[in-house]
C-alpha cells in the first residue's frame, strides 16, 4: 500500500520530533518542510533526516496530510494561507495544540480538508530525548472521523496511546494539564515558602516536603483523590483550617488567599471521602 505523504508547516520541537518519528517508522513519507526561514527549515530537515525544505507556501506539493506545528496563535492564519494557496480537498490537516480544538482549522475544512487535533501529553523540552522515548506517550485526539482514521494508525505506529476527547471541552482539557503540572508546582512552592517562614532552611524544607508530596501523589493515583485525602479538612477540623488561613494571610496575603480558595474544593472532596465509607 502507498505510504501517505506528509507536509510539515512549522518545525519547532514538536514538529521536528513527530517528523523524525513518522519518517523513521514509515507511518508517513515526509515530503516538504516549511518554517519561518529557509535556514530553520534546513535545520529541521537535518534533524528529521527526511523531507525537502521549502521557502514559501506556494512551493509545498500536494500531500495526503498536513501537520501545522506552529504556535497556537498562528494556527488559524497558517490554515488560511494553505487554503488559499492549495486545493485541500480530501487532505487531512491537523495540529498538535493542547489548548485549541480542530475547529481552529475551520478555514481548511471549508476548503475541503478533513481536520483533527492530536495533542501529545508530554514536555518536548529535549527533542532528542523525546524522539528516543516517545513510545507510550498519551495523545488527546479529536476531530473528523475520516481524519482520525488516517492519523490514529500513524500515531500508534510511533507508539502513541490515543485518548479520545471532547473537542468542545479542549480548553478545560488543557487546563487539567495545568492543574496537574504547573499549579501543582505553585502549591508545592507555597508549602516550601511556608516552611521557610517557620524558620526551616530551604534545603531542609525540600526534604521535609518530599515524602509528604510523593506519598500523597502515589496514593492519589493508586487509591483515587477522595481516599488519599487526609488533614484537617478531611477530619472536619474547621477551627484549625480557619487559624491556618488567618496565619497565612497575616504572613503573605496571596498565599493565604490561595489556601482559602482551596478549602471549598477540599471540603467537597472530604464529603466524597466520607460518603464512600
Amino acid at each position: 500500500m502507498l505510504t501517505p505523504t506528509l507536509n510539515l508547516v512549522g518545525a519547532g520541537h514538536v514538529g521536528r520530533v513527530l517528523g523524525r518519528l513518522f519518517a523513521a517508522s514509515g507511518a508517513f513519507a515526509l515530503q516538504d518542510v516549511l518554517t519561518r526561514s529557509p535556514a530553520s527549515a534546513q535545520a529541521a530537515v537535518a534533524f528529521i533526516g527526511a523531507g525537502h525544505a521549502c521557502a514559501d507556501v506556494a512551493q509545498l506539493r500536494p500531500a495526503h496530510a498536513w501537520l501545522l506545528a506552529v504556535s497556537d496563535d498562528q494556527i488559524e492564519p497558517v490554515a488560511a494561507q494553505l487554503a488559499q494557496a492549495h486545493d485541500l480537498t480530501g487532505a487531512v490537516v491537523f495540529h498538535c495544540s493542547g489548548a485549541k480544538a480542530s475547529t481552529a482549522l475551520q478555514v481548511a475544512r471549508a476548503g475541503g480538508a478533513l481536520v483533527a487535533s492530536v495533542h501529545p501529553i508530554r514536555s518536548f523540552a529535549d527533542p532528542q530525548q523525546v524522539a528516543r522515548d516517545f513510545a507510550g506517550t498519551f495523545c488527546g485526539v479529536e476531530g473528523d472521523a475520516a481524519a482520525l482514521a488516517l492519523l490514529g494508525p500513524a500515531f500508534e505506529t510511533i507508539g502513541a496511546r490515543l485518548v479520545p476527547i471532547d473537542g468542545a471541552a479542549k480548553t478545560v482539557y488543557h487546563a487539567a494539564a495545568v492543574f496537574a503540572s504547573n499549579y501543582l508546582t505553585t502549591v508545592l512552592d507555597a508549602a516550601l515558602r511556608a516552611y521557610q517562614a517557620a524558620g526551616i532552611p530551604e534545603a531542609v524544607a525540600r526534604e521535609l516536603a518530599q515524602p509528604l508530596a510523593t506519598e500523597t501523589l502515589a496514593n492519589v493515583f493508586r487509591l483515587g483523590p477522595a481516599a488519599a485525602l487526609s488533614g484537617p479538612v478531611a477530619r472536619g477540623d474547621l477551627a484549625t483550617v480557619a487559624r491556618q488561613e488567618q496565619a497565612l494571610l497575616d504572613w503573605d496575603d496571596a498565599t493565604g488567599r490561595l489556601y482559602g480558595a482551596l478549602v471549598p474544593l477540599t471540603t467537597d472532596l472530604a464529603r466524597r471521602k466520607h460518603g464512600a465509607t
Side-chain angles (χ1 to χ4, degrees):
M1 187 175 71
L2 181 67
T3 302
T5 53
L6 173 71
N7 284 345
L8 177 59
V9 182
H13 290 177
V14 176
R16 292 185 182 198
V17 168
L18 292 179
R20 175 187 281 190
L21 293 173
F22 285 142
S25 68
F28 283 110
L30 189 69
Q31 185 173 255
D32 294 331
V33 178
L34 174 66
T35 66
R36 291 182 177 178
S37 72
S40 64
Q42 290 286 1
V45 167
F47 179 91
I48 293 167
H52 173 261
C54 293
D56 58 54
V57 172
Q59 290 184 351
L60 296 167
R61 290 168 285 178
H64 295 101
W66 302 70
L67 167 54
L68 307 191
V70 296
S71 60
D72 288 358
D73 63 351
Q74 288 300 305
I75 292 174
E76 287 94 335
V78 170
Q81 291 175 25
L82 291 181
Q84 185 174 12
H86 294 276
D87 180 5
L88 299 176
T89 303
V92 171
V93 179
F94 70 107
H95 67 70
C96 293
S97 168
K100 290 198 171 185
S102 58
T103 50
L105 299 169
Q106 182 57 39
V107 66
R109 179 185 277 133
L114 304 165
V115 302
S117 71
V118 183
H119 173 235
I121 307 171
R122 68 175 303 157
S123 168
F124 282 77
D126 184 343
Q128 292 279 3
Q129 181 181 6
V130 177
R132 287 193 302 269
D133 64 9
F134 185 84
T137 297
F138 284 97
C139 293
V141 302
E142 58 83 27
D144 295 333
L148 296 178
L150 175 69
L151 297 176
F155 273 88
E156 288 173 342
T157 296
I158 63 174
R161 301 175 67 181
L162 305 182
V163 181
I165 61 175
D166 179 359
K170 189 71 179 284
T171 302
V172 174
Y173 154 86
H174 193 246
V178 174
F179 273 117
S181 178
N182 312 139
Y183 288 166
L184 177 60
T185 303
T186 302
V187 170
L188 289 173
D189 176 66
L192 295 175
R193 289 187 294 104
Y195 273 135
Q196 291 171 71
I200 299 172
E202 181 183 7
V204 178
R206 291 186 187 183
E207 291 187 43
L208 287 175
Q210 183 176 5
L212 282 173
T214 54
E215 185 176 4
T216 298
L217 281 173
N219 286 339
V220 166
F221 294 119
R222 182 170 61 92
L223 304 172
L229 183 66
S230 61
V233 174
R235 295 192 300 269
D237 187 358
L238 300 185
T240 294
V241 172
R243 285 196 304 273
Q244 289 178 351
E245 182 177 353
Q246 188 57 55
L248 290 171
L249 288 168
D250 293 342
W251 162 59
D252 182 77
D253 184 70
T255 305
R257 286 186 284 110
L258 173 62
Y259 183 101
L262 292 172
V263 171
L265 288 172
T266 308
T267 301
D268 288 342
L269 185 58
R271 291 194 186 101
R272 278 187 271 155
K273 176 185 179 71
H274 297 304
T277 59

